[in-house]
């Protein structure tokens, strides 16, 4: 009797093993056979290859795709409210017209921010900064870009206040990062939020950034996030040498993501997070 019971138990274990699929984390290569390469996956303006940028739909899509961070852009309205929009105007991505700074929040909330992308997103609204914090804090990392803060006096203080109200100003696990092309704004923001990591964004004109400039950035920034076209192995090494990390932008094809993997960056800002999940790691 005992022998038959043991034989049955072994058979059950074998069947379970045959039909169990091993799980794979979002940032590892399922075909690497143990040689896995990890990469921080950042959904640019949300998963904007799949849903209208800087909307709740895009952020939710990024969350559903299990990204590490959602990235979004912050502007300020005429009545001092923080809203998410990439451009200075609402024209390209909403049914409205005009500069964000010339419109009130109530006016912007009347616009359709989804139908330009696809009919499935008709009625999508422009979210506020605070709405986005409340919807996604603790669920996914937030990479917050301050857009043209020189146009919006007090923007840094308003961002800091919103984070502090939610006790999000001590991000020990780097799940909140603030970045901008305006480096002076980042100095100011770092003073307001000393426990939050900050990043400096860099366009193609920074291709010849010097070691001295990187050292200066490292006094208040934790990330140097450049346009992907200027990333080289040497630049990555020099950024790491001063203690910063690098999240290049913006990958839109699998080939671009693969190139950034090979350059050994720390994270990839992408419209298509699926390109970052399944990179074929080469044997060293």
């Amino acid at each position: 009797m005992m022998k038959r019971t043991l034989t049955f138990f072994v058979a059950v274990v074998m069947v379970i093993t045959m039909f169990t699929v091993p799980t794979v984390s979002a940032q590892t290569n399922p075909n690497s056979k143990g040689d896995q390469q990890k990469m921080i996956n950042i959904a640019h303006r949300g998963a904007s290859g799949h849903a209208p940028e800087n909307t709740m739909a895009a952020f939710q899509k990024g969350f559903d795709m299990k990204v590490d961070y959602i990235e979004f852009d912050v502007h300020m309205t005429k009545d001092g409210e923080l809203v998410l929009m990439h451009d200075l105007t609402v024209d390209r991505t909403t049914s409205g017209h005009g500069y964000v700074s010339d419109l009130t929040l109530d006016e912007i909330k009347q616009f359709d921010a989804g139908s330009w992308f696809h009919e499935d997103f008709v009625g999508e609204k422009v979210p506020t900064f605070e709405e986005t914090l409340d919807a996604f804090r603790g669920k996914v990392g937030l990479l917050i870009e301050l857009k043209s803060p020189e146009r919006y006096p007090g923007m840094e203080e308003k961002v800091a206040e919103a984070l502090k109200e939610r006790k999000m100003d001590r991000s020990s696990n780097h799940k909140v990062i603030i970045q901008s092309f305006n480096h002076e704004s980042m100095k100011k923001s770092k003073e307001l939020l000393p426990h939050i990591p900050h990043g400096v964004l860099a366009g193609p004109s920074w291709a010849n950034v010097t070691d001295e400039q990187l050292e200066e950035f490292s006094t208040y920034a934790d990330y140097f996030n450049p346009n992907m076209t200027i990333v080289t192995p040497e630049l990555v090494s020099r950024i790491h040498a001063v203690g910063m990390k690098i999240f290049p932008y913006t990958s839109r094809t699998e080939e671009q993501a693969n190139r950034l993997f090979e350059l050994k960056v720390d994270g990839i800002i992408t419209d298509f997070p699926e390109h970052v999940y399944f990179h074929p790691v080469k044997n060293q």
Side-chain angles (χ1 to χ4, degrees):
M1 179 68 179
M2 182 177 294
K3 185 176 181 180
R4 286 201 302 272
T5 302
L6 180 60
T7 301
F8 176 76
F9 175 76
V10 171
V12 170
V13 170
M14 290 178 65
V15 170
I16 292 173
T17 303
M18 288 173 61
F19 290 96
T20 300
V21 179
T23 58
V24 179
S25 68
Q27 289 74 42
T28 61
N29 168 32
N31 302 312
S32 63
K33 296 181 180 179
D35 183 16
Q36 297 178 333
Q37 182 173 350
K38 295 183 182 298
M39 182 63 61
I40 300 297
N41 196 342
I42 305 132
H44 182 235
R45 309 177 198 169
S48 55
H50 301 280
E53 63 183 61
N54 281 315
T55 64
M56 289 295 189
F59 303 148
Q60 185 63 45
K61 181 64 176 178
F63 174 74
D64 292 343
M65 296 178 78
K66 296 180 169 52
V67 298
D68 297 293
Y69 289 84
I70 54 173
E71 183 266 355
F72 52 82
D73 307 291
V74 183
H75 284 269
M76 195 156 72
T77 66
K78 182 179 180 179
D79 49 345
E81 299 293 332
L82 299 174
V83 294
L84 307 192
M85 181 77 55
H86 178 269
D87 301 351
L88 290 172
T89 72
V90 301
D91 297 41
R92 180 177 62 85
T93 58
T94 79
S95 59
H97 300 285
Y99 285 93
V100 175
S101 58
D102 291 337
L103 297 164
T104 66
L105 177 61
D106 284 345
E107 290 171 330
I108 290 175
K109 281 293 189 181
Q110 303 306 310
F111 304 150
D112 183 325
S115 59
W116 68 273
F117 187 88
H118 192 274
E119 62 183 11
D120 288 349
F121 299 99
V122 171
E124 194 72 28
K125 299 300 182 183
V126 175
T128 68
F129 178 59
E130 294 189 343
E131 286 170 348
T132 306
L133 294 184
D134 291 339
F136 292 98
R137 61 174 172 163
K139 297 180 180 179
V140 64
L142 306 176
L143 179 55
I144 303 164
E145 180 178 347
L146 307 192
K147 296 296 282 190
S148 304
E150 65 277 5
R151 294 176 59 93
Y152 307 114
M155 172 184 267
E156 296 89 353
E157 286 85 356
K158 284 182 176 290
V159 168
E161 181 182 359
L163 291 172
K164 288 178 179 178
E165 283 179 354
R166 292 160 177 79
K167 295 180 170 51
M168 297 173 67
D169 57 319
R170 292 180 177 270
S171 180
S172 60
N173 59 357
H174 286 209
K175 281 303 185 179
V176 176
I177 304 171
I178 301 174
Q179 64 176 2
S180 181
F181 284 101
N182 187 319
H183 302 163
E184 291 302 314
S185 174
M186 291 300 90
K187 288 183 182 178
K188 181 177 182 180
S189 181
K190 186 66 174 180
E191 291 176 357
L192 294 167
L193 296 164
H195 301 290
I196 294 287
H198 283 67
V200 292
L201 284 161
S205 64
W206 284 93
N208 296 315
V209 62
T210 66
D211 289 342
E212 290 75 20
Q213 288 170 320
L214 290 175
E215 285 281 1
E216 166 63 18
F217 291 143
S218 71
T219 62
Y220 60 90
D222 306 89
Y223 297 84
F224 182 84
N225 297 339
N227 186 292
M228 66 180 180
T229 61
I230 70 171
V231 181
T232 63
E234 184 223 12
L235 178 61
V236 175
S237 294
R238 291 197 294 125
I239 290 167
H240 288 162
V242 296
M244 289 193 293
K245 294 183 178 180
I246 174 173
F247 292 170
Y249 68 90
T250 303
S251 173
R252 296 186 173 91
T253 68
E254 189 172 358
E255 291 74 21
Q256 290 171 341
N258 289 348
R259 175 180 176 268
L260 293 172
F261 261 97
E262 297 303 326
L263 291 170
K264 301 187 185 305
V265 301
D266 300 292
I268 298 175
I269 300 174
T270 178
D271 291 352
F272 296 93
E274 65 270 27
H275 297 161
V276 179
Y277 293 148
F278 302 118
H279 171 75
V281 179
K282 294 181 180 179
N283 291 327
Q284 300 299 317

